[in-house]
Amino acid sequence: MANPAPQGAQFNVAYTLPEKRRAGIHYIPRWLGGVSCYIAFGLGGLLSSLTILPLLRFWPGTPEARIIRVQKAVHFMFKGFVAMLTWAGVIKVSTHNAEQLHSAKGVIVIANHPSLVDVVVLISLMPNAGCIVKQGLWRNPFLRGVVSCAGYIPNRGAELMLEDCREVLARGTNLIIFPEGTRTVFGSIINEFARGAANIAIRTQADILPVVLRTNVRGLTKEQPWYEIPRQTMGMAVEIGNTISHQAYQASLGEHAKMARQLTRDLEQYYQQQLEHNYDFTQ
């Protein structure tokens, strides 16, 4: 596999020592600020699903233009949410060469999954992003309007999902996928990668843009509920790698599964190498 390591300067947020942990009465303002951000985000999602997103979706234009409008609106909403979390001291995001994400078209963006806000951070950096979302979100009153209006893909079976992915990528939308499937289990560098992203890349002939998310504080993890706000500001560095061409993994008839396994192994090894020197939470 061609080396997808990011070019340019190294990031400093995820490598600086975190601030002192807040405890007792000093933690209350942080907790109130963080929880208020989530409540505002949920209510904003519900209200936008009932107002502005349907309006943008049904405003005159081609189906593609309508979806693009909604995706840009979601991009700005998520950008605002990240700004709120930053103001509340919950997270601080650092990026370098973020224009790679902003200008990407029709690629599969993969990332490790250390925290609850990973997809929000990525979409806040990408005006034309789509996701594969679990069926449960389509029944969530706060988010179902967002995911349906933005043309996100429901996880409804391999073949149907593959056709949806091919259509989304063909119109220039980027597809965000977390190969780990769920947030990284505490104590692991990454979870074992599933072959979904590799299968989609090979079968749709789409390139992959790897993104490494580094954090310097354990927070918003799989083991923690959403309301357990980190006691320290969580620095998150977004490292954008080099595009991996699908042509390096071209498969002849009947070899798709073999090439998908190889690509998955290569991606997992790359993330293991990139993250093995990440911040040590035991310190």
Side-chain angles (χ1 to χ4, degrees):
M1 181 178 74
N3 181 18
Q7 297 176 334
Q10 292 295 314
F11 303 88
N12 51 29
V13 167
Y15 299 100
T16 56
L17 290 175
E19 66 172 8
K20 184 178 179 181
R21 289 172 58 90
R22 297 194 179 187
I25 194 170
H26 300 290
Y27 174 61
I28 294 176
R30 167 72 54 80
W31 185 86
L32 289 174
V35 170
S36 297
C37 289
Y38 283 111
I39 293 174
F41 179 69
L43 293 177
L46 178 60
L47 291 174
S48 62
S49 298
L50 298 174
T51 55
I52 187 171
L53 294 184
L55 179 63
L56 292 173
R57 184 179 185 184
F58 295 111
W59 198 263
T62 64
E64 291 79 11
R66 296 173 183 176
I67 290 176
I68 289 172
R69 284 197 297 259
V70 174
Q71 287 177 347
K72 285 185 178 179
V74 173
H75 160 69
F76 285 115
M77 288 167 55
F78 282 18
K79 198 169 185 176
F81 182 50
V82 171
M84 290 172 58
L85 290 174
T86 302
W87 170 82
V90 177
I91 64 172
K92 182 178 181 181
V93 179
S94 172
T95 62
H96 175 74
N97 205 20
E99 60 271 13
Q100 275 188 271
L101 282 178
H102 194 273
S103 61
K105 288 188 176 181
V107 300
I108 297 172
V109 177
I110 66 167
N112 56 307
H113 201 357
S115 79
L116 180 65
V117 296
D118 300 335
V119 69
V120 174
V121 169
L122 289 176
I123 293 178
S124 75
L125 298 171
M126 304 172 67
N128 60 332
C131 303
I132 298 172
V133 298
K134 56 187 179 181
Q135 290 277 30
L137 288 182
W138 293 80
R139 297 187 295 271
N140 185 312
F142 296 100
L143 295 176
R144 66 183 179 189
V146 175
V147 298
S148 62
C149 290
Y152 292 172
I153 299 170
N155 190 352
R156 53 178 184 155
E159 291 303 319
L160 289 174
M161 186 177 69
L162 186 62
E163 286 302 313
D164 289 339
C165 291
R166 185 177 287 112
E167 179 183 341
V168 163
L169 292 164
R171 67 170 177 252
T173 296
N174 302 303
L175 189 60
I176 298 173
I177 299 178
F178 296 101
E180 294 180 84
T182 186
R183 280 172 282 169
T184 308
V185 175
F186 178 61
S188 302
I189 298 176
I190 53 172
N191 300 330
E192 182 179 355
F193 277 19
R195 293 198 297 268
N199 268 314
I200 293 170
I202 291 171
R203 292 178 184 271
T204 63
Q205 297 185 340
D207 294 339
I208 293 176
L209 183 61
V211 176
V212 176
L213 302 177
R214 299 183 189 272
T215 58
N216 67 347
V217 170
R218 180 175 180 254
L220 307 176
T221 65
K222 184 177 177 63
E223 294 79 16
Q224 297 172 308
W226 66 269
Y227 53 82
E228 190 172 322
I229 306 300
R231 293 179 178 269
Q232 302 153 282
T233 298
M234 186 174 71
M236 177 181 288
V238 183
E239 301 182 4
I240 303 155
N242 299 320
T243 301
I244 302 166
S245 174
H246 71 274
Q247 294 181 345
Y249 294 88
Q250 281 186 333
S252 58
L253 186 64
E255 291 188 347
H256 289 99
K258 177 181 177 181
M259 296 308 296
R261 286 194 295 270
Q262 181 61 52
L263 176 53
T264 302
R265 284 196 295 268
D266 289 346
L267 292 173
E268 188 171 336
Q269 182 180 17
Y270 165 69
Y271 276 89
Q272 287 275 2
Q273 291 173 346
Q274 292 295 310
L275 291 165
E276 64 183 355
H277 300 301
N278 200 21
Y279 186 81
D280 185 359
F281 291 123
T282 64
Q283 294 180 356

